[in-house]
């Protein structure tokens, strides 16, 4: 489903019972952030602040703060539905029947048509021209006490390569300095920074805020340079993104955004940007970054300012990361086909941890997967810790993964320390900024062809026959409904979710063999009487 504005998405959130509206005056300095943080931690709804001091524009926060809302933003009922849509699109195999072939080709044609941006005039995002442009009139939030100032936290930053004219849409925080200048925090690994280096001293830039949330998500996605974020957003919303010419710079901008900020970044005008309370849960350090000089600000008559608050997880950005995890799994499997699933746990904050399940067929395959993922560019190259487990491990059961890993690794054999680039925001890296080391953990079962000669023990699991008998007789035991009785100890992992996982897990395999020690195997077999 395509949304023509952020207001249209707000209406969808309200209709779905996923929106709370705050009518009383609130302060964009810290107060909105504290309200939002409490609501996010509690699993609450999106928040529309209608009366933000110092600005006439309402502010929307927590729009992506649950799987349901993130899926709704992408026109789906779940993130796995979006995953399956992409999987069906990139599947190169044609069905056997003629009808299936025609349907497949028609689907590919529709996906291709929706990926091509459509140029229009009279764009809603340019209906109102702010004269003179003044960043101070926008309801930009200051989210944490030590922040260097107010920051635009959901900016869609538009640049283009000066040689190929290939566009890019990235999400780089923007710190407001005054009415006409701001700090552009694009890090060295970002495509916008690469464009800036090619332009030299002065690079044309446009920043969009609001509009269809599918485009906002696309700006966060780790796409390779050859994939246009506008095309990807068109695929996600199943309708082309409408674009129009910016007023003062030679760039295409989204016609249906809520706000457009135009100008140029001066690479020679470096100013202090930060600190900023980041998604790492700590403040990223103040540093020198180039300055954005604003030449125009336009907006829709019904404009709503989109913002997010980042900090200690869980925060709203966890669901943007989860969307990337699900949507990009089919693409990941095209490159590394032995991967069966993966999980980017919320505790890892995008870059700190990836749990990857693989189907092993040869020795050293887990190490091969680590190197492949770290070599994948923006998607995985900055991942601080990669944990590789066997295909039958549920990567989404983090407690179970921790148990599995701690039971299966030997430090001298299974740990890989890999030097290379790390995130600019990685405060724990080496002494050199953006250069450090990453950790790979091979927690897969070891085999004889990997030099492991002992018996690898099977997991303790009940056999299927006993499980079925106990389930059939449960009412006879008189214990009652385990989902309702007892006092679960959350610290230990007890509770309804753990019971559900137990009942859904695979029973013991008939092929399980009890392990024997090397001394026992070396003992001669007793002679038959």
């Amino acid at each position: 489903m395509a949304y023509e504005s952020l207001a249209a998405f707000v209406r969808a959130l309200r209709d779905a019972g996923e929106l709370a509206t705050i009518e009383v005056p609130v302060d964009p300095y810290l107060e909105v952030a504290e309200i939002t943080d409490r609501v996010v931690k509690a699993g609450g709804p999106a928040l529309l602040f209608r009366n933000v001091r110092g600005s006439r524009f309402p502010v929307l926060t927590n729009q992506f703060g649950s799987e349901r809302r993130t899926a709704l933003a992408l026109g789906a009922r779940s993130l796995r539905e979006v995953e399956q849509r992409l999987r069906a699109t990139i599947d190169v195999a044609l069905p056997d029947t003629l009808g299936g072939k025609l349907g497949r080709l028609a689907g590919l044609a529709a996906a291709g048509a929706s990926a091509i941006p459509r140029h229009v005039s009279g764009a809603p995002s340019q209906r109102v021209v702010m004269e003179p442009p003044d960043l101070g009139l926008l309801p930009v939030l200051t989210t944490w006490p030590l922040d260097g100032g107010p920051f635009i936290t959901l900016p869609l930053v538009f640049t283009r390569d000066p040689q190929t004219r290939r566009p890019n849409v990235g999400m780089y925080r923007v710190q407001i300095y005054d009415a006409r200048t701001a700090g552009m925090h694009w890090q060295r690994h970002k495509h916008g920074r690469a464009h800036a280096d090619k332009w030299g001293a002065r690079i044309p830039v446009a920043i969009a805020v609001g509009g269809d949330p599918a485009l906002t998500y696309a700006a966060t996605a780790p796409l390779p340079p050859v994939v246009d974020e506008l095309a990807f957003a068109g695929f996600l919303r199943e309708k082309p993104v409408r674009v129009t010419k910016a007023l003062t710079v030679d760039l295409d901008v989204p016609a249906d955004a809520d706000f457009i900020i135009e100008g140029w970044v001066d690479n020679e005008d470096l100013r202090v940007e930060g600190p900023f309370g980041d998604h790492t849960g700590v403040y990223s350090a103040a540093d020198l970054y180039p300055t954005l000089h604003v030449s125009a600000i336009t907006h829709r008559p019904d404009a709503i300012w989109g913002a997010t608050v980042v900090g200690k997880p869980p925060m709203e950005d966890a669901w943007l990361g989860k969307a990337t995890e699900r949507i990009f799994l089919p693409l990941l499997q095209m490159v590394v086909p032995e991967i069966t699933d993966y999980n980017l746990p919320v505790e890892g904050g995008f870059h700190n941890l990836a749990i990857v399940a693989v189907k092993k067929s040869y020795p050293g395959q887990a190490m091969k997967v680590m190197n492949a993922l770290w070599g994948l560019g923006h998607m995985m190259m900055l991942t601080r810790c990669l944990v590789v487990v066997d295909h039958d491990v549920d990567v989404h059961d983090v407690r179970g993964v921790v148990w599995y890993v701690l039971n299966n690794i030997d430090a001298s054999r299974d740990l890989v320390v890999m030097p290379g680039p790390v995130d600019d925001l990685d405060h724990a890296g080496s002494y050199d900024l953006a250069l450090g080391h990453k950790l790979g953990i091979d927690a897969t079962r070891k085999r004889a062809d990997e030099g492991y000669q002992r018996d690898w023990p099977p997991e303790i699991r009940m056999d299927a026959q006993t499980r079925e008998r106990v389930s059939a007789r449960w009412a006879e035991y008189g214990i009652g409904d385990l989902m309702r009785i007892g006092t679960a100890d959350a610290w230990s992992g007890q509770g309804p979710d753990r019971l559900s996982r137990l009942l859904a897990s695979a029973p013991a395999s008939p092929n399980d063999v009890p392990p024997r020690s090397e001394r026992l195997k070396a003992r001669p077999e007793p002679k038959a009487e």
Side-chain angles (χ1 to χ4, degrees):
M1 177 181 179
Y3 300 97
E4 71 271 15
S5 66
L6 196 53
F9 185 51
V10 165
R11 289 191 292 272
L13 290 171
R14 184 180 292 113
D15 292 344
E18 291 280 351
L19 180 74
T21 302
I22 295 89
E23 301 284 358
V24 298
V26 292
D27 199 325
Y29 179 78
L30 304 183
E31 186 177 9
V32 170
E34 174 64 11
I35 296 168
T36 300
D37 193 25
R38 294 186 188 190
V39 171
V40 173
K41 295 293 192 294
L47 300 174
L48 182 64
F49 298 90
R50 289 196 175 276
N51 192 346
V52 180
R53 290 192 180 99
S55 180
R56 67 181 185 83
F57 301 107
V59 173
L60 178 69
T61 66
N62 202 27
Q63 61 179 297
F64 297 103
S66 70
E67 178 178 8
R68 187 186 184 204
R69 291 201 293 279
T70 304
L72 184 65
L74 302 179
R77 289 164 296 183
S78 69
L79 294 178
R80 288 193 180 273
E81 180 182 318
V82 186
E83 173 193 333
Q84 292 305 318
R85 192 197 309 164
L86 181 59
R87 191 179 298 280
T89 302
I90 65 176
D91 183 5
V92 297
L94 284 175
D96 293 332
T97 66
L98 177 60
K101 288 182 172 67
L102 293 176
R104 176 93 175 91
L105 293 174
L108 289 173
S114 66
I116 302 174
R118 185 160 64 91
H119 285 263
V120 299
S121 57
S125 61
Q126 296 175 332
R127 294 268 169 82
V128 181
V129 180
M130 189 182 291
E131 292 288 359
D134 186 352
L135 294 169
L137 298 179
L138 305 176
V140 186
L141 305 182
T142 302
T143 50
W144 300 108
L146 298 184
D147 282 357
F151 284 84
I152 304 175
T153 51
L154 280 180
L156 282 63
V157 180
F158 287 74
T159 60
R160 64 174 173 84
D161 188 301
Q163 298 161 3
T164 66
R165 296 189 64 86
R166 186 183 298 278
N168 181 72
V169 188
M171 187 167 288
Y172 323 122
R173 73 185 191 225
V174 177
Q175 180 179 343
I176 306 302
Y177 295 145
D178 55 41
R180 300 286 290 271
T181 61
M184 179 60 72
H185 184 94
W186 46 34
Q187 302 164 29
R188 68 198 71 208
H189 304 123
K190 305 301 184 181
H191 295 148
R193 172 72 172 268
H195 286 179
D197 292 342
K198 289 185 178 181
W199 276 90
R202 179 167 161 152
I203 172 175
V205 169
I207 300 170
V209 176
D212 193 325
L215 182 55
T216 299
Y217 166 71
T220 72
L223 297 169
V226 295
V227 179
D228 186 343
E229 286 81 7
L230 292 171
F232 185 56
F235 165 79
L236 292 173
R237 69 202 297 265
E238 300 182 287
K239 186 177 181 180
V241 174
R242 303 196 319 156
V243 296
T244 194
K245 285 294 181 186
L247 300 183
T248 60
V249 291
D250 183 18
L251 290 169
D252 288 339
V253 295
D256 298 309
D258 283 65
F259 296 86
I260 301 291
I261 302 168
E262 302 177 14
W264 71 93
V265 168
D266 187 340
N267 286 327
E268 297 177 347
D269 181 7
L270 301 181
R271 304 187 192 182
V272 176
E273 188 269 356
F276 177 70
D278 224 316
H279 69 266
T280 56
V282 297
Y283 289 91
S284 54
D287 201 355
L288 295 176
Y289 277 87
T291 301
L292 168 69
H293 295 265
V294 175
S295 56
I297 299 177
T298 65
H299 61 84
R300 303 175 65 102
D302 61 344
I304 296 175
W305 185 261
T308 191
V309 177
V310 296
K312 294 179 182 178
M315 297 297 273
E316 179 182 6
D317 59 1
W319 289 106
L320 292 171
K322 185 57 67 174
T324 292
E325 174 200 297
R326 289 299 94 200
I327 294 170
F328 280 77
L329 177 59
L331 298 175
L332 200 62
Q333 290 170 324
M334 289 183 71
V335 182
V336 193
E338 56 265 62
I339 291 177
T340 59
D341 201 358
Y342 74 127
N343 180 20
L344 305 175
V346 63
E347 294 83 1
F350 299 109
H351 296 315
N352 287 341
L353 176 62
I355 304 168
V356 184
V358 300
K359 182 74 171 177
K360 280 174 58 174
S361 57
Y362 54 81
Q365 196 164 2
M367 308 293 186
K368 174 261 188 184
V369 169
M370 293 176 196
N371 285 293
L373 294 178
W374 280 324
L376 272 182
H378 285 79
M379 182 166 186
M380 299 291 278
M381 78 174 189
L382 301 179
T383 303
R384 179 185 286 179
C385 184
L386 279 175
V387 177
V388 183
V389 297
D390 285 295
H391 68 282
D392 55 354
V393 175
D394 181 0
V395 295
H396 304 286
D397 177 10
V398 177
R399 278 183 179 266
V401 168
V402 171
W403 172 84
Y404 185 86
V405 171
L406 296 180
N407 269 281
N408 281 2
I409 63 169
D410 175 81
S412 66
R413 178 192 65 207
D414 298 327
L415 303 186
V416 175
V417 177
M418 178 66 68
V422 297
D423 196 332
D424 274 11
L425 304 179
D426 187 350
H427 66 281
S430 298
Y431 297 110
D432 297 319
L433 183 65
L435 182 64
H437 294 79
K438 290 160 283 193
L439 176 65
I441 302 175
D442 176 6
T444 59
R445 302 180 189 94
K446 301 306 177 292
R447 310 170 349 161
D449 59 7
E450 293 178 299
Y452 190 87
Q453 301 301 323
R454 293 188 290 159
D455 292 343
W456 194 272
E459 293 180 25
I460 300 171
R461 296 179 291 189
M462 185 53 66
D463 65 89
Q465 183 178 4
T466 303
R467 277 192 178 184
E468 292 168 3
R469 183 170 70 251
V470 169
S471 294
R473 298 193 59 201
W474 190 260
E476 298 179 43
Y477 303 146
I479 300 173
D481 185 353
L482 286 178
M483 295 292 190
R484 297 182 180 180
I485 66 173
T487 303
D489 181 349
W491 169 83
S492 68
Q494 296 172 341
D497 288 345
R498 185 64 187 88
L499 177 60
S500 296
R501 288 184 183 275
L502 171 64
L503 298 179
S505 63
S509 169
N511 298 322
D512 287 348
V513 177
R516 296 187 302 160
S517 70
E518 297 305 296
R519 183 170 60 178
L520 185 59
K521 286 192 288 186
R523 190 175 67 176
E525 292 290 336
K527 294 180 180 180
E529 295 272 335

